[in-house]
Amino acid sequence: MNFRTHKHTRCRICGSSGLKKILDLGRMPPANAFVTKQNLSKKELTYPLDVYVCRRCNLVQLGIVVSPKILFSDYVYFSSTSKVFMQHFEELADTSIRRISLQKNSFVIDIGSNDGILLKPFIKKRFRVLGIEPARNIAQIANEAHVETIPSFFSVPLARRIKKSHGQADLITATNVFAHIDDIDEVIEGVKCILKENGVFIIEAPYLIDLLDNNLFDTIYHEHLSYFSVIPLTIFFRKHGMKIFSVEHTATHGGSLRIYAVRIGPPRKIDASVARYLRLEQNRITSLHTYKQFAEKIDRDKEKLVALLKQLRKQGKTIAGYGAPAKSNTLLNYYSISADLLSYIADDSRYKQNLYTPGMHIPVVSPMHLTERQPDYLVLLAWNFAESIMKKWNDLHEGGMKFILPKPEVNII
Ligand SMILES: [Zn+2]
C-alpha cells in the first residue's frame, strides 16, 4: 500500500478492462479530511472523483484509488456516537443469531469493527468475538471497552495468524466496509481461511439501486470504491467458491444490502430473495441510459439547491447546516457551497467540532450554537437522520426556523 493514488483500469470483480465512465465529480479532498484552524491556509490534497461501470459484470466503481493510509489513518468517524447505528447493529446481531441459529459460545469476527458497535450486542449474548479495525485510535477505544480488537488492515496473512490464535469463526461480518476495500479478492480469501466449513459471511453495503433512485450521489467519495448490487456480487462470490443464499434490505445509509453468503458445498437452501433482487436489477443497472439520467439529475438538483440558498441569502436570511458526515463534503464541494451560503455546520460529534470542512472550509460547531445563533434555515446535510434531527430541534422549528431537506428532492419544511 505504498502509493498515494492509482488509476483503476480493471474491474475489481471480473478483471475486465471494459470500464465506462458514468460520472465525473471533479477533484476533491478526502471527505473525512477535516481541517484545523492552523492548517486553513495550507493547500489541501485533492484527488479526482469519477465513477465507472463495468460493462461485463456491472459493478459500479471509482476510477481512482486513494491510499487507505491517506484516508483512514486518523479517522474521525466513531460508530457509537450514533444511536441510530447502535440500534441497527443490535438488530443485525439479533437477526443473524436467529437466521443462522447461532449457539451460545459461537465465535463472531467483525471486519472493520470500528469501536466495537456491532460486537457489543454479541458480547451481551455471551458470544466469543474478535474485531479487526485499521484505525489505531479507534481500535484502542474498542480494546479499552473490552472488545478484543486487532489494529490492522484485514489480509490473508492476518487471517492465518487469527486461525492459529483464535480458531475459525461461525459468523464473519463486514458491515459498511466492503465498499471501502480495493482488493476484495484478498478479503474473501482471508474470510474463507477463518470461516468454519458451514460458517456464514454477512456483508452490508449501500445499495446501488437506492443510490440511483434517491439521487444519493453524495454517498460517492474516495473511501467508497464500489457501489454494490446483487448481480455483480453473485459473480464475485461464485468466483471464490461461495454463493449468496439470502438478501435483505436495510434502511442504513439511505438503503443498504445485507448479503448472506456461504461456501458452495455444504447444503444451504437459497431463498427466493436472491432471484427477486436479480430480477429487480436486470435491465436497470445494465443500461447506460440509467447512469445518464442519474448524472443529469445531480446537476438539476445542484442548480435547484444553490439557487435557493443564494436567493435566501440575498433576502438577508441566515442559513446553517446540520451534520458534517463524509457525504456532506461531496455535496458541499460539488455544489461549491461555502461559508458565504452556510455560515456554520452543527455536528453532534465532538471529534469534528472546532474543525473546518475539507474543501469548503465551513466551520463545524457544537449543536449548542443553534440555540445561541439560531439560523432562519437549517440544511439537513445528514439527511439519513433527518427525522430524529427535526424531532430534536422542533422547538426552534416552532420558533420560526425552517428545515431544508436536500434529499431525495430539495424540500423546505
Ligand atoms: Zn466487472
Side-chain angles (χ1 to χ4, degrees), residues 11 14 54 57:
C11 172
C14 74
C54 172
C57 77

Side-chain angles (χ1 to χ4, degrees), residues 57-89:
C57 77
N58 300 293
L59 178 70
V60 172
Q61 48 206 304
L62 291 192
I64 289 275
V65 176
V66 180
S67 165
K69 282 189 179 159
I70 294 173
L71 297 179
F72 301 111
S73 60
D74 195 17
Y75 212 38
V76 286
Y77 178 76
F78 286 76
S79 296
S80 294
T81 51
S82 157
K83 207 174 159 190
V84 176
F85 283 129
M86 280 167 74
Q87 285 164 352
H88 171 75
F89 288 115

Side-chain angles (χ1 to χ4, degrees), residues 35 89 106 167 298 326 409:
V35 185
F89 288 115
S106 293
I298 294 169
E409 299 288 335

Side-chain angles (χ1 to χ4, degrees), residues 7-24 50-64 208-209 211-212 220 225-229 231-232 235 281 283-292 294:
K7 180 97 186 103
H8 180 66
T9 51
R10 289 194 174 271
C11 172
R12 182 163 294 117
I13 283 182
C14 74
S16 164
S17 57
L19 299 178
K20 171 89 182 151
K21 193 193 258 197
I22 51 169
L23 189 65
D24 188 342
D50 44 15
V51 187
Y52 292 74
V53 64
C54 172
R55 298 299 284 144
R56 195 201 276 167
C57 77
N58 300 293
L59 178 70
V60 172
Q61 48 206 304
L62 291 192
I64 289 275
L208 176 67
I209 295 287
L211 167 72
L212 297 170
I220 298 170
L225 298 172
S226 306
Y227 300 83
F228 287 110
S229 48
I231 290 177
I235 296 167
E281 292 173 7
N283 302 326
R284 179 92 200 277
I285 66 157
T286 53
S287 159
L288 288 177
H289 182 65
T290 301
Y291 302 107
K292 188 167 173 278
F294 174 57

Side-chain angles (χ1 to χ4, degrees), residues 335-362:
Y335 286 8
S336 294
I337 295 174
S338 61
D340 314 339
L341 293 177
L342 285 192
S343 344
Y344 63 89
I345 295 174
D347 194 282
D348 295 319
S349 165
R350 64 186 169 89
Y351 302 100
K352 290 181 183 174
Q353 291 164 10
N354 304 317
L355 296 174
Y356 294 79
T357 64
M360 289 294 114
H361 294 177
I362 300 174

